[in-house]
Amino acid sequence: MSIQPSHVSDVDTRQVSVEQYERLLERVRGFHGYAAPGVVLGCFMVEAAKDALPEGVLFDAIAETSWCLPDAVQMLTPCTIGNGWLKVRNFGIYAVSLFNKHTGGGVRVRLAPERLAAYPNLRCWLLKLKPKKDQDTPALMEEIRVAGASVCTITAIQVRPEHLEKRSKGAIALCPLCGDAYPASHGKLCRPCRGESPFADSAEGNEGAGEQPKEPFGGGPRLRLVPVQQAVGERLAHDMTRIEPGVSKDAAFVRGQIVEPGDVCRLQRMGRHNIYVDDGQDLSGWVHEDEAAQAFAQALSGPGTAPILPAREGKVNLEAVEDGLLVVDRDRLEAFNLIPDVMAATRRDGSLVKRGMRVAGTRAIPLHLRRELFGKALRLLDHGSMGDTMGGPLVRVVPLKPARIGILVTGTEVFQGLIEDKFKPVITRKALALGASITRTVFAPDDAGQIRDGVLALLEAGSEIIITTAGMSVDPDDVTRRGLAEAGATDLLYGAPLLPGTMLLLGRIARENGAQARLIGVPACALFFQTTSLDLVLPRVLAGLEVTRNDLARMGHGGMCMECKACTFPKCPFGH
Ligand code: ZN
């Protein structure tokens, strides 16, 4: 590049003739719709920038305003928004840069306010000193013709490397609500479905909604607000809570209740000075928070859970109806929570829960939810309509089977009795705590054949799950795993993003009756640390759930144990 950084030069002040100028205006009209002063001036700026670049340079452009200037670039260069060679950095500054698309070296042409003294109409236009209707447009256009790019400065620039990178769309996802393809980086729903659509809702399922809400936070139907003193005989439009610190938080007044003379004082003591009353107005475009919460809770609730009905203060909780492992479809929960004006919160996926425990809660956020959003939210929860990517109820509790577990302890020293085995007591304690039983424990030396025979003996004894020390070695040729393979182990997964407990092995082995036994190879650290990857995986295996590479990968966030002096697992974030 011939221009040195920070060099500032005057640009060519060649004027165009009136005839040339008229041809330019005609071209601008054809491209931009009318001969906007900004586009015409922009044409001089772009030509000045092109002149300052060496011949034959492949260049990109940056416009620092979205007004007019980008059209001058698109008219006079191959750079467009669509091909990505023109980028708009909307600083609202009248400047355009062209630069070598590989090296980033180039020039910036800037309309210079300090050079406008001789051009009052141009100055007035740039600084918006007069309303557009009072502007002397012919005089302005003539000033632009005379001035050309002489009212600009031109500077050498070097574009930062990160701004030279090719634009990439990244991964594409299909929106589960509308089916459109959109950048996966935007989240689990496309942006229009998250409430950013510029278009009014369709009339479908929305009769009577009439006006679109203009208020922030979704708005609502126009309910009548009445001062408490005048509320006697009115019908309350929603529940109201009395909150006494440390005491109850029950609904003191419920929706539909008629206000009695004695209630006025109670409402005032609750800090209520105005209340919304139900006049029986047309609410057909809206869904009351109680109805919304009940519908959401029923749709959220899968096997092993039940909604606690009726709704209280617009909210419905789900409780576990049996002991087991809580399974939450986290992707769909995230998608649901991206729909405006609705919410659902759950305990952590993979938590062990007891019957009667609250596991999730849901509600609409405003008192009245737009029916259109209500429909969207229900569609997302309706697992039947989701295709194969998302399916099944969003929240369920899966009971742990009282499975029969066989333990295979490997290692020549332990086999010969030279070292005391610590593995069997640890595994036995953890298995019994989860309601499983131990069929048999087999000891085998570091010999593939004897390990194979040990596995077969455990299967013979009716083991549905085999837990071994197989994960203990970092050596991929470890005889233990060879022995397991010889016994027919398949679907092996080795290694999990968990600390402690990375060297975890998961697999399956065919049993004689056609069923499959699950296989868990436990890393050595399970003997020294109280909580390891085994504690995350064993409940899932007992619940009969698959543990896939994806499931393990997800555990990496939170997969580093905090190593508390007194372990509080599972009341900690390990593996979540
Ligand atoms: Zn969508």
Side-chain angles (χ1 to χ4, degrees):
M1 181 110 300
S2 57
I3 299 162
Q4 296 305 307
S6 82
H7 169 81
V8 178
S9 73
D10 283 331
V11 296
D12 190 352
T13 53
R14 269 177 310 188
Q15 283 180 17
V16 295
S17 68
V18 173
E19 293 73 33
Q20 287 170 317
Y21 195 52
E22 192 41 55
R23 281 202 296 277
L24 173 65
L25 298 187
E26 200 46 50
R27 235 184 120 183
V28 172
R29 277 182 210 111
F31 190 85
H32 186 77
Y34 69 105
V39 181
V40 177
L41 180 63
C43 288
F44 286 100
M45 294 170 70
V46 169
E47 287 301 337
K50 279 162 71 179
D51 286 347
L53 286 181
E55 201 68 22
V57 162
L58 279 178
F59 60 85
D60 278 3
I62 291 177
E64 293 174 45
T65 174
S66 64
W67 287 98
C68 289
L69 200 44
D71 273 7
V73 175
Q74 299 192 110
M75 219 181 92
L76 299 178
T77 77
C79 302
T80 69
I81 301 268
N83 65 24
W85 301 344
L86 165 62
K87 292 198 180 67
V88 175
R89 305 302 316 264
N90 194 7
F91 305 137
I93 292 172
Y94 227 76
V96 60
S97 300
L98 301 184
F99 54 90
N100 183 311
K101 65 169 77 206
H102 303 297
T103 66
V107 292
R108 175 176 186 258
V109 179
R110 151 190 175 267
L111 177 56
E114 69 273 15
R115 294 191 176 198
L116 295 178
Y119 303 99
N121 289 289
L122 193 47
R123 184 167 176 276
C124 182
W125 168 83
L126 176 68
L127 303 181
K128 286 206 166 54
L129 301 179
K130 281 183 194 167
K132 209 170 181 178
K133 61 176 171 53
D134 299 334
Q135 181 178 279
D136 183 347
T137 303
L140 170 62
M141 297 310 287
E142 179 58 12
E143 282 185 13
I144 291 173
R145 184 187 75 83
V146 173
S150 71
V151 287
C152 297
T153 59
I154 180 163
T155 321
I157 47 133
Q158 176 63 49
V159 176
R160 290 184 213 268
E162 61 268 30
H163 291 274
L164 289 178
E165 278 160 22
K166 287 222 176 68
R167 63 176 180 175
S168 160
K169 285 190 206 151
I172 300 295
L174 290 180
C175 177
L177 273 182
C178 67
D180 281 339
Y182 71 100
S185 62
H186 290 186
K188 303 293 180 195
L189 284 186
C190 79
R191 289 174 57 176
C193 283
R194 292 158 61 164
E196 294 182 43
S197 171
F199 310 118
D201 299 325
S202 71
E204 176 208 346
N206 200 22
E207 298 86 350
E211 78 242 57
Q212 292 293 317
K214 290 174 187 66
E215 306 87 340
F217 310 120
R222 293 215 181 87
L223 292 176
R224 194 154 56 86
L225 195 64
V226 174
V228 164
Q229 301 91 315
Q230 297 163 27
V232 174
E234 299 280 11
R235 185 180 299 275
L236 292 176
H238 55 97
D239 295 355
M240 272 175 287
T241 324
R242 174 177 40 210
I243 301 168
E244 292 172 32
V247 194
S248 71
K249 189 185 167 294
D250 277 336
F253 290 89
V254 294
R255 173 190 178 205
Q257 185 175 339
I258 306 287
V259 178
E260 311 271 339
D263 293 334
V264 172
C265 189
R266 279 174 67 212
L267 283 164
Q268 284 172 332
R269 266 190 279 121
M270 283 166 59
R272 298 281 178 167
H273 303 292
N274 296 286
I275 53 172
Y276 283 110
V277 298
D278 183 353
D279 290 330
Q281 56 267 73
D282 178 19
L283 297 176
S284 51
W286 304 87
V287 181
H288 188 272
E289 57 173 2
D290 288 345
E291 282 136 47
Q294 289 186 22
F296 296 158
Q298 267 150 351
L300 276 165
S301 170
T305 71
I308 307 171
L309 298 173
R312 304 277 293 178
E313 294 151 44
K315 183 184 68 180
V316 175
N317 287 326
L318 301 188
E319 67 179 2
V321 294
E322 56 188 324
D323 297 356
L325 187 82
L326 179 68
V327 180
V328 178
D329 185 336
R330 290 162 62 178
D331 285 342
R332 236 157 83 240
L333 177 66
E334 197 175 320
F336 180 79
N337 281 320
L338 283 171
I339 298 172
D341 289 343
V342 305
M343 67 76 67
T346 73
R347 284 181 186 249
R348 287 191 175 279
D349 177 42
S351 300
L352 285 170
V353 297
K354 293 263 177 222
R355 185 186 167 165
M357 223 180 230
R358 286 178 185 183
V359 295
T362 180
R363 67 174 304 154
I365 290 165
L367 176 58
H368 288 94
L369 179 66
R370 277 159 55 206
R371 189 163 290 283
E372 189 264 343
L373 291 177
F374 176 73
K376 265 190 181 183
L378 270 189
R379 249 191 300 146
L380 192 70
L381 297 179
D382 173 13
H383 39 89
S385 67
M386 280 301 131
D388 1 320
T389 47
M390 293 184 168
L394 206 141
V395 178
R396 62 200 163 109
V397 171
V398 185
L400 304 192
K401 279 193 297 192
R404 295 184 303 260
I405 296 180
I407 301 176
L408 173 67
V409 184
T410 61
T412 302
E413 288 94 338
V414 171
F415 180 72
Q416 293 174 344
L418 300 174
I419 299 177
E420 185 201 352
D421 170 54
K422 295 198 181 73
F423 189 72
K424 182 185 170 186
V426 168
I427 301 302
T428 303
R429 178 171 51 80
K430 293 193 173 185
L432 296 184
L434 292 171
S437 60
I438 307 296
T439 52
R440 204 182 149 184
T441 302
V442 171
F443 291 84
D446 293 320
D447 173 86
Q450 295 201 45
I451 288 164
R452 177 198 59 217
D453 293 345
V455 171
L456 298 177
L458 291 173
L459 291 175
E460 186 102 327
S463 306
E464 296 159 294
I465 297 172
I466 293 174
I467 300 185
T468 91
T469 48
M472 285 186 166
S473 172
V474 291
D475 175 4
D477 293 326
D478 181 43
V479 288
T480 314
R481 267 175 287 137
R482 215 165 66 225
L484 296 174
E486 285 181 18
T490 56
D491 303 329
L492 293 181
L493 275 180
Y494 184 57
L498 293 161
L499 292 168
T502 304
M503 304 304 172
L504 178 79
L505 181 90
L506 296 174
R508 296 175 176 279
I509 300 184
R511 296 170 66 198
E512 267 186 357
N513 55 9
Q516 284 192 317
R518 304 284 292 263
L519 177 68
I520 306 176
V522 178
C525 61
L527 304 185
F528 311 112
F529 293 94
Q530 187 160 352
T531 301
T532 68
S533 53
L534 175 65
D535 300 274
L536 294 170
V537 164
L538 186 55
R540 287 169 166 83
V541 171
L542 287 172
L545 300 176
E546 293 290 326
V547 181
T548 64
R549 172 63 69 200
N550 283 341
D551 296 329
L552 291 176
R554 218 163 208 194
M555 292 180 196
H557 186 218
M560 176 177 246
C561 174
M562 299 196 293
E563 296 181 41
C564 307
K565 280 215 175 78
C567 180
T568 58
F569 183 84
K571 290 185 177 171
C572 82
F574 182 59
H576 292 297

